[in-house]
Amino acid sequence: MALNAVTELRDQLLSDGILSPAEVEKLDQRVTEESTDLETLLRREHILTETQLHALRAMRFGTPYCNLSDFIPRLQNSELLPEELVRRHVMFPLFDMDGSITLVMENPHDLTGVDQARRLTKREVDICHSSRSDILGLIERAYGASKYIEESSVADTLLENTDGDESQPVIRLVNDLINEAIRQGSSDIHIEPGEIDLRVRIRVDGVLREIAAPPLGLHRALVSRIKILSRLDIAQTRAPQDGAFDHKYDGQEVVIRVAVLPSIFGEAVVMRILRNESESISLEDLGMESQMLKRFHGIVSNAHGMILVSGPTGSGKSTTLYAAMKCIASPQKNIIAIEDPVEYRTSLIRQVQVNPEAKLTFASGLRSMLRQDPDVIMVGEIRDSETAQISVQAALTGHLVLSTVHTNDSISAVARFRDLGIAEYLISSSLLAVLAQRLARKICPECKGPDSPSDYLLDALGLKSSELDFEPMCGKGCRRCVGTGYIGRIGLYELFEIDDQYREMIVRNEPPEAIRAIARANEMRFLVDDGIYKIKQGLTTVEEIVRIAGRC
């Protein structure tokens, strides 16, 4: 940093009351001793975030600060100014409206860049400030997209070149899109054509987030490239298609599962990113409370019986099952799994992929697996009566069976099995436990701070602000969490362990409400209770648990 910039920042920290004179003096000493600069030290010691530092710099410039991660820039604005100019002056035409443009600049005092932008666009120019890295990233995306169009004849070029030549522009665009989604920790990529533009969204921590999209003119080429990778029929555009392919990222292989669906404006594509993380995940990593974890460990150590994990799609059920199998796997046990699809590839178990075209269903595969002398069987999902019947019989004949069901809570799994035609005495005899779960977003540690949730939100969880014995926390939004206040997810769990009392109630065909009442009297921890516990631990927010509880 230049000397005058350091002095200005130092004065700003004092005048705005951000730091005391004694604190600034200590920082000055460390800057000298460590031969560093003030901004680096503030950032490294987490005294100020990157966003706060750039906001302070914008105040010194006398211009507004723009966090480019907080909104979706219009990449087509790259047509207003040549690439060479914006790269040289580190700026980008962010908005174009009402006869003026808004330039986001690293240095708002760069009058040469402002004058050239005004002359070329013949518009008035407003200025805002952002970081150099964010602006250069935006320039790369914007002018890169235009290059893809210039260098290719869109779909025609792609369809003639199916050999996977990495120099082809649309091939690079698909690779870049997948790499960016993986870098941001996304689980899904949604490519959605509209009437006038193309929309691209990624799902991060269970919530969709829109990202900058290439022009609509590239839609057909993108879909064709993805179909080629997935070995789908590129000529078929009126019927849904499913496929998968492998993608290399940072030296590791990632499986991309593809679903193509015709819509009124063209084919919509969803790509599911499956990371092979199962062997690195243990039950201790899932976020269970210690007593519940101890009980669940004991349950999965049983030699026979059935353990179910319930919850909606995307709630982490498969991850929990693999973590459970990891803790019991040994050379002395034969573990076989049948799934649709196989989401994790692991050396711990033998895995079977459902294939209806080859008449390999859950039921038929399960019958064959039982002839393989298994100790432990994992069934990806129990979704029909036949699979349920075979699973129950396997659990009753000396096998440990792990599977999933789609129910809103743990106790409802009993009613689900009744609906599938399983007799009450078979359910009570085979079922060991049901673990219901959800995934809640974790508060970003970079911008974590006290929260003041509304009474409405607290009431939704049965809490009162006047009676709180803890301070709720939330993320304020920063560059690291892309303004969301959240990074990563943690599990919420509800363990329904079947004892003699519950077995009698199941045999008597008592409704879930009656079983739930007894469970509550027995102080069973429900999903919302676990959510409140994690709010108290400062792991998640009141608002997030209300959002999750609304789906329970």
Side-chain angles (χ1 to χ4, degrees):
M1 292 178 65
L3 184 60
N4 60 338
V6 173
T7 303
E8 290 175 0
L9 175 57
R10 187 180 183 281
D11 293 343
Q12 196 174 20
L13 294 171
L14 291 169
S15 62
D16 292 353
I18 298 172
L19 296 177
S20 67
E23 290 172 323
V24 171
E25 187 175 346
K26 286 182 180 179
L27 287 174
D28 285 339
Q29 291 175 356
R30 290 190 59 185
V31 165
T32 303
E33 292 168 0
E34 299 174 21
S35 300
T36 186
D37 61 73
L38 184 56
E39 272 199 10
T40 300
L41 191 59
L42 290 167
R43 192 184 299 110
R44 191 176 69 208
E45 296 298 318
H46 302 290
I47 298 170
L48 293 177
T49 65
E50 191 79 28
T51 299
Q52 290 169 326
L53 284 168
H54 283 294
L56 289 173
R57 189 181 297 172
M59 291 172 64
R60 297 199 300 275
F61 283 134
T63 57
Y65 170 68
C66 177
N67 187 348
L68 294 178
S69 300
D70 288 345
F71 62 96
I72 305 161
R74 189 174 184 272
L75 300 187
Q76 289 85 338
N77 285 353
S78 60
E79 299 170 2
L80 295 170
L81 294 173
E83 181 179 0
E84 185 276 330
L85 178 67
V86 298
R87 286 190 182 278
R88 178 156 35 95
H89 294 281
V90 193
M91 62 185 188
F92 186 82
L94 211 51
F95 304 114
D96 176 21
M97 58 183 67
D98 300 329
S100 67
I101 63 169
T102 300
L103 278 181
V104 58
M105 304 185 71
E106 179 195 19
N107 179 13
H109 291 169
D110 181 1
L111 299 182
T112 303
V114 174
D115 288 341
Q116 290 193 41
R118 184 182 291 116
R119 178 174 55 80
L120 288 171
T121 60
K122 297 181 174 57
R123 293 169 172 82
E124 289 300 315
V125 176
D126 296 319
I127 305 296
C128 62
H129 167 68
S130 192
S131 71
R132 178 183 181 86
S133 60
D134 283 354
I135 298 172
L136 289 176
L138 176 55
I139 291 171
E140 195 63 43
R141 296 203 309 275
Y143 289 88
S146 65
K147 281 181 180 178
Y148 293 132
I149 295 176
E150 293 167 6
E151 294 175 12
S152 71
S153 302
V154 192
D156 293 337
T157 300
L158 178 65
L159 297 178
E160 293 170 3
N161 295 277
T162 61
D163 299 330
D165 180 3
E166 295 298 325
S167 66
Q168 290 295 327
V170 177
I171 292 176
R172 295 204 314 273
L173 178 56
V174 171
N175 288 340
D176 291 347
L177 176 61
I178 295 172
N179 290 340
E180 177 63 18
I182 294 173
R183 189 187 67 78
Q184 293 196 33
S186 169
S187 61
D188 302 87
I189 305 169
H190 295 244
I191 301 173
E192 303 159 339
E195 187 174 9
I196 60 174
D197 58 11
L198 185 63
R199 186 185 197 189
V200 177
R201 296 187 291 173
I202 60 176
R203 190 178 295 277
V204 180
D205 296 335
V207 177
L208 283 172
R209 174 192 301 170
E210 195 159 353
I211 63 173
L216 182 61
L218 282 173
H219 170 252
R220 182 170 169 236
L222 280 173
V223 175
S224 295
R225 174 58 184 164
I226 293 167
K227 283 182 176 181
I228 289 169
L229 288 170
S230 309
R231 296 180 175 83
L232 302 178
D233 184 356
I234 62 174
Q236 175 58 266
T237 61
R238 297 184 179 182
Q241 297 188 69
D242 297 317
F245 62 92
D246 293 334
H247 177 84
K248 286 189 176 179
Y249 175 78
D250 197 21
Q252 296 184 340
E253 206 161 82
V254 177
V255 178
I256 308 294
R257 198 170 76 209
V258 175
V260 182
L261 181 69
S263 71
I264 59 172
F265 296 119
E267 291 177 290
V269 178
V270 174
M271 292 187 283
R272 184 83 184 272
I273 301 169
L274 302 175
R275 299 167 178 84
N276 192 26
E277 300 171 338
S278 63
E279 296 198 25
S280 63
I281 295 174
S282 66
L283 286 176
E284 287 73 19
D285 298 325
L286 300 180
M288 285 189 198
E289 181 268 334
S290 59
Q291 287 301 314
M292 184 183 294
L293 178 62
K294 184 178 179 180
R295 287 164 54 210
F296 193 64
H297 260 296
I299 293 166
V300 299
S301 299
N302 278 275
H304 58 84
M306 179 180 291
I307 301 168
L308 298 175
V309 180
S310 73
T313 300
S315 59
K317 300 187 296 296
S318 295
T319 302
T320 298
L321 288 180
Y322 272 97
M325 287 189 291
K326 179 184 177 183
C327 82
I328 60 175
S330 72
Q332 291 75 40
K333 287 186 178 179
N334 181 15
I335 303 177
I336 310 177
I338 181 167
E339 301 173 77
D340 183 24
V342 175
E343 295 196 8
Y344 299 117
R345 299 174 186 178
T346 175
S347 59
L348 297 174
I349 58 179
R350 283 186 288 159
Q351 297 168 285
V352 179
Q353 167 74 55
V354 166
N355 185 357
E357 293 180 2
K359 297 183 179 180
L360 177 56
T361 63
F362 277 118
S364 65
L366 194 48
R367 284 196 199 91
S368 298
M369 287 162 58
L370 288 171
R371 294 193 288 270
Q372 293 277 316
D373 187 31
D375 297 293
V376 181
I377 297 169
M378 196 272 266
V379 183
E381 182 186 349
I382 294 177
R383 59 176 72 152
D384 59 74
S385 178
E386 188 178 10
T387 306
Q389 292 280 1
I390 301 170
S391 299
V392 167
Q393 290 300 324
L396 292 172
T397 54
H399 306 88
L400 181 64
V401 179
L402 298 93
S403 189
T404 71
V405 289
H406 284 285
T407 58
N408 285 334
D409 58 35
S410 58
I411 294 171
S412 297
V414 174
R416 174 66 176 148
F417 264 53
R418 287 173 181 156
D419 293 341
L420 290 172
I422 307 300
E424 284 78 9
Y425 75 93
L426 292 176
I427 299 173
S428 66
S429 301
S430 61
L431 195 57
L432 297 173
V434 184
L435 181 75
Q437 69 179 70
R438 299 290 189 277
L439 292 175
R441 291 178 293 172
K442 292 170 65 176
I443 299 172
C444 172
E446 187 85 4
C447 57
K448 184 176 181 179
D451 189 18
S452 300
S454 67
D455 289 338
Y456 169 78
L457 290 174
L458 292 170
D459 288 344
L461 298 180
L463 302 173
K464 294 189 180 297
S465 56
S466 59
E467 300 174 2
L468 291 182
D469 57 354
F470 62 93
E471 184 177 41
M473 306 295 285
C474 71
K476 305 301 181 182
C478 65
R479 186 168 180 265
R480 182 179 174 188
C481 63
V482 199
T484 63
Y486 299 98
I487 286 183
R489 290 189 288 180
I490 191 168
L492 307 182
Y493 299 97
E494 171 184 299
L495 182 59
F496 177 44
E497 192 172 356
I498 313 298
D499 60 18
D500 291 340
Q501 182 181 23
Y502 295 127
R503 287 192 179 93
E504 290 178 8
M505 297 182 75
I506 293 170
V507 170
R508 292 198 302 267
N509 198 17
E510 297 202 22
E513 293 76 16
I515 299 176
R516 199 170 287 114
I518 295 298
R520 189 170 285 109
N522 291 340
E523 299 184 344
M524 174 176 154
R525 183 196 290 260
F526 290 92
L527 283 168
V528 172
D529 300 325
D530 198 34
I532 294 171
Y533 170 77
K534 273 147 186 157
I535 293 171
K536 291 180 179 180
Q537 297 293 310
L539 297 171
T540 189
T541 65
V542 171
E543 182 180 11
E544 177 68 0
I545 297 304
V546 170
R547 182 181 75 86
I548 298 296
R551 302 191 311 193
C552 295

